[in-house]
Amino acid sequence: NEPLFATQPKVAVLTSKWTVSSSEIVATCLKGRPNTKFFGEMTGSYTTNNNWEIINNEVIVNISTGVFCDRNGVSYKYNIPVDVEIPFKVIKETEKDNCIIEAKKWLTEK
C-alpha cells in the first residue's frame, strides 16, 4: 500500500459537451486531484445519480436522486467545468487539435 510515485504525476483531462454520464463520473474522480488540469469544454450535464419508481404497475418514473461530488466535497449539479476552455472541434489529424496541443504543452512543461 505504499505510493508508487514520490509526487503525483501530471494528468491532463480532455472533456467536451459530449463527455456525459459515466464519463462525467470519471472526470469527477479526477477533479481536485493534485497536478491535474482540465482542458476543453464543460461536460454535457448528466451529473446526477438516477433511480426509478413504478407507480401502480403502470408508470415508471426516472428520478434524479443525487449529484456527483469530487474528492474535496465539491458537488457538480450541472456539469464539470474545465481549467482551460478550448472549443471542441472534430479533427481527424489529432496533431492539429488545439485541446490536445495545449494539454501536451502543459504536460511537458517543467
Side-chain angles (χ1 to χ4, degrees):
N1 292 329
E2 293 294 319
L4 297 177
F5 303 103
T7 60
Q8 293 274 348
K10 286 183 174 182
V11 173
V13 181
L14 281 58
T15 62
S16 75
K17 62 184 174 187
W18 303 109
T19 305
V20 296
S21 197
S22 58
S23 300
E24 286 175 298
I25 292 172
V26 174
T28 303
C29 290
L30 293 166
K31 207 61 165 149
R33 179 189 177 276
N35 245 354
T36 303
K37 201 169 197 177
F38 281 65
F39 297 83
E41 298 176 327
M42 64 184 162
T43 62
S45 302
Y46 291 88
T47 56
T48 57
N49 325 10
N50 298 310
N51 197 0
W52 50 274
E53 296 290 328
I54 300 173
I55 302 171
N56 296 331
N57 283 332
E58 295 177 4
V59 177
I60 298 174
V61 179
N62 195 17
I63 303 168
S64 293
T65 56
V67 296
F68 298 168
C69 181
D70 71 18
R71 66 186 66 217
N72 298 315
V74 177
S75 59
Y76 299 96
K77 294 180 182 180
Y78 306 108
N79 56 52
I80 315 293
V82 294
D83 302 305
V84 179
E85 193 165 333
I86 301 167
F88 176 76
K89 294 179 183 171
V90 177
I91 299 173
K92 287 185 181 182
E93 303 90 2
T94 56
E95 66 276 358
K96 295 179 182 176
D97 184 299
N98 289 333
C99 197
I100 293 173
I101 292 167
E102 288 303 312
K104 281 175 137 179
K105 278 184 198 173
W106 178 73
L107 286 167
T108 56
E109 72 186 23
K110 303 251 178 200

